[in-house]
Amino acid sequence: KKKIAVMTSGGDSPGMNAVVRAVVRMAIHMGCDAFAVYEGYEGLVCGGDYIKRMEWHEVRGWLSEGGTLIGTARCMAFYERPGRLTAAKNMVLHGIDALIICGGDGSLTGADRFRSEWPSLLDELVSKGELSAHQVAPFKNLNIVGIVGSIDNDLSGTDATVGCYSALSRICEMVDYIEATASSHSRAFVIEVMGRHCGWLALLAGVATGADFVFIPERPQDHDWRADMSVVVKRHRKMGKRKTIVIVAEGARDKNGDKISPEEIKDLLADKGEGGLGLDTRITTLGHVQRGGTAVAYDRMLGTLQGVEAVKAVLEATPETETCFIAINENKIVRKPLMKAVQETKDVAAAVDAKDFERAMSLRDAEFAD
Ligand code: ADP
């Protein structure tokens, strides 16, 4: 009987509970034993009660719960081989031979590393006398499948990550609240949203709320952003708009690669000097409300369908199967090579950090053309 464990790792995102519920129930439905690893890789390294057998009824009602009920953590020990060695030992001791991990690119990188080291970790455990050859014999193959849980929609190769539409909806809701007061007082608001390397949330929030101006990390304005923004905001005000909404991603940059802060944007909007906009301007940093709350229907659906597919992928895997993650492309749930997607994601982040925006944009374009 196959023993399949599910884990959530890295930053939490709405819809992770839908993933856990789906994996647990699909595993049981397929005649397997289901396990949950609590607190991400920390639970795998600690073992014991952190690895818990899950029954059908234990995930009842989880679709409408926010965050992740099995906990998540950042785990320093898992970055080092001794930590992964202990994790491997705990897997064997619990009889687990398949792991479904829902997390961001960091968590999925860790997962791939774990699988690539798998037989050698077992050999080391045997040579150190921590486990017997007899104990490890049934565990020669480890199946790992990833599901992307991230509010930023920052993983290459999938159209949406579990949680991104909940975060986007939350942002829109908050902007709607802010707009009421902005309109009443004829004010400007600079709204900072999450996204260090990926501007998806800021960009789509801009589209969905009809914001005046948006700043994202990957594609700075071609010209001086101050001049560009002033022209646009002035035009909108001339047309009779009583509110000004500027959305800025955490990692927004100017064309020289320098960070654009909400304060700088505010100063420009509030400038009372000649040619300045002179608007009564406030800054709102949305922060963790973007992660919070329950998942929207889309994320519940995505988490459920991907959880089901992940169990199927585990059951159909052979030792030769490349480690995959479950994506959604053009509304179809598909399996894709994990490391290619993680590498492409890292390449975009590296291009943004290196201020090579042309490359960042061409990588994004390639992603959409893919
Ligand atoms: P996210 O999954 O949201 O990107 P992190 O980057 O913090 O979040 O990764 C979550 C956890 O995954 C880390 O705390 C660590 O335990 C594990 N991890 C991340 N990157 C690696 C890596 N290169 N090698 C091993 N483990 C990793």
Side-chain angles (χ1 to χ4, degrees), residues 9-11 41 73-76 78-79 84 103-110 113:
S9 172
Y41 289 116
R74 316 243 183 223
C75 172
M76 295 321 286
F78 203 77
Y79 284 101
R84 296 193 292 277
D105 64 332
S107 302
L108 300 181
T109 305
R113 206 166 169 191

Side-chain angles (χ1 to χ4, degrees), residues 261-320:
S261 72
E263 287 74 21
E264 282 175 276
I265 301 170
K266 178 189 167 190
D267 289 347
L268 186 68
L269 291 168
D271 182 11
K272 289 198 166 69
E274 202 186 327
L277 291 151
L279 297 169
D280 181 6
T281 308
R282 309 292 156 99
I283 296 174
T284 301
T285 303
L286 293 184
H288 282 79
V289 297
Q290 294 164 85
R291 278 188 195 286
T294 56
V296 297
Y298 184 89
D299 285 326
R300 300 179 194 202
M301 179 276 294
L302 189 63
T304 302
L305 297 184
Q306 294 194 332
V308 167
E309 183 66 17
V311 173
K312 283 190 193 165
V314 159
L315 295 177
E316 289 167 18
T318 65
E320 289 74 40

Side-chain angles (χ1 to χ4, degrees), residues 7-12 16 40-42 45 72-80 84 101-114 117 149-150 152 154-155 291 346:
M7 173 207 283
T8 54
S9 172
D12 67 307
M16 281 184 160
Y41 289 116
E42 197 68 36
V45 174
T72 181
R74 316 243 183 223
C75 172
M76 295 321 286
F78 203 77
Y79 284 101
E80 311 296 333
R84 296 193 292 277
I101 295 163
C102 180
D105 64 332
S107 302
L108 300 181
T109 305
D112 184 73
R113 206 166 169 191
F114 194 44
E117 289 177 335
S150 161
D152 296 329
D154 54 353
L155 206 98
R291 278 188 195 286
K346 290 194 162 103

Side-chain angles (χ1 to χ4, degrees), residues 153-167:
N153 200 7
D154 54 353
L155 206 98
S156 180
T158 185
D159 297 346
T161 57
V162 176
C164 71
Y165 279 102
S166 300

Side-chain angles (χ1 to χ4, degrees), residues 5 53 92 113 150 152 160 172 194 203 205 215 241 251 266 288 294 298-299 307 327 336 343 348 358 365:
R53 171 90 187 263
V92 172
R113 206 166 169 191
S150 161
D152 296 329
C172 289
M194 287 185 174
L203 196 59
F215 292 99
K241 206 170 171 185
K266 178 189 167 190
H288 282 79
T294 56
Y298 184 89
D299 285 326
K336 292 189 122 181
Q343 193 51 53
V348 175
E358 227 168 86
D365 286 345

Side-chain angles (χ1 to χ4, degrees), residues 123-370:
D123 295 344
E124 194 174 331
L125 286 165
V126 173
S127 71
K128 285 187 166 153
E130 298 203 25
L131 293 174
S132 68
H134 179 69
Q135 270 177 304
V136 303
F139 296 95
K140 284 289 175 219
N141 295 310
L142 170 70
N143 292 144
I144 286 194
V145 175
I147 294 179
V148 199
S150 161
I151 62 159
D152 296 329
N153 200 7
D154 54 353
L155 206 98
S156 180
T158 185
D159 297 346
T161 57
V162 176
C164 71
Y165 279 102
S166 300
L168 181 60
S169 298
R170 208 75 61 218
I171 293 169
C172 289
E173 222 175 305
M174 296 301 139
V175 173
D176 289 349
Y177 291 153
I178 289 166
E179 273 187 350
T181 181
S183 263
S184 306
H185 291 269
S186 194
R187 271 184 192 147
F189 275 83
V190 180
I191 300 170
E192 190 185 64
V193 303
M194 287 185 174
R196 287 209 184 89
H197 295 106
C198 179
W200 186 86
L201 278 176
L203 196 59
L204 274 288
V207 172
T209 62
D212 293 74
F213 217 79
V214 172
F215 292 99
I216 61 169
E218 302 97 319
R219 188 184 179 283
Q221 319 299 316
D222 293 334
H223 311 101
D224 175 17
W225 65 265
R226 290 179 173 81
D228 284 356
M229 188 182 75
S230 297
V231 167
V232 170
V233 171
K234 271 183 194 155
R235 189 171 68 225
H236 290 173
R237 286 275 167 174
K238 258 202 195 122
M239 290 162 80
K241 206 170 171 185
R242 279 178 59 82
K243 63 190 177 204
T244 300
I245 302 287
V246 175
I247 298 182
V248 52
E250 276 172 312
R253 315 283 183 120
D254 67 14
K255 67 181 190 325
N256 301 317
D258 297 325
K259 200 172 149 32
I260 299 176
S261 72
E263 287 74 21
E264 282 175 276
I265 301 170
K266 178 189 167 190
D267 289 347
L268 186 68
L269 291 168
D271 182 11
K272 289 198 166 69
E274 202 186 327
L277 291 151
L279 297 169
D280 181 6
T281 308
R282 309 292 156 99
I283 296 174
T284 301
T285 303
L286 293 184
H288 282 79
V289 297
Q290 294 164 85
R291 278 188 195 286
T294 56
V296 297
Y298 184 89
D299 285 326
R300 300 179 194 202
M301 179 276 294
L302 189 63
T304 302
L305 297 184
Q306 294 194 332
V308 167
E309 183 66 17
V311 173
K312 283 190 193 165
V314 159
L315 295 177
E316 289 167 18
T318 65
E320 289 74 40
T321 309
E322 197 179 350
T323 306
C324 74
F325 78 105
I326 312 298
I328 184 163
N329 289 145
E330 296 180 351
N331 252 348
K332 288 191 182 63
I333 304 291
V334 290
R335 296 173 203 173
K336 292 189 122 181
L338 176 64
M339 274 331 276
K340 182 171 178 281
V342 169
Q343 193 51 53
E344 284 172 6
T345 305
K346 290 194 162 103
D347 288 348
V348 175
V352 170
D353 284 340
K355 306 175 183 183
D356 188 348
F357 300 111
E358 227 168 86
R359 180 165 159 74
M361 277 312 289
S362 74
L363 287 167
R364 283 270 186 258
D365 286 345
E367 190 185 325
F368 284 108
D370 209 355

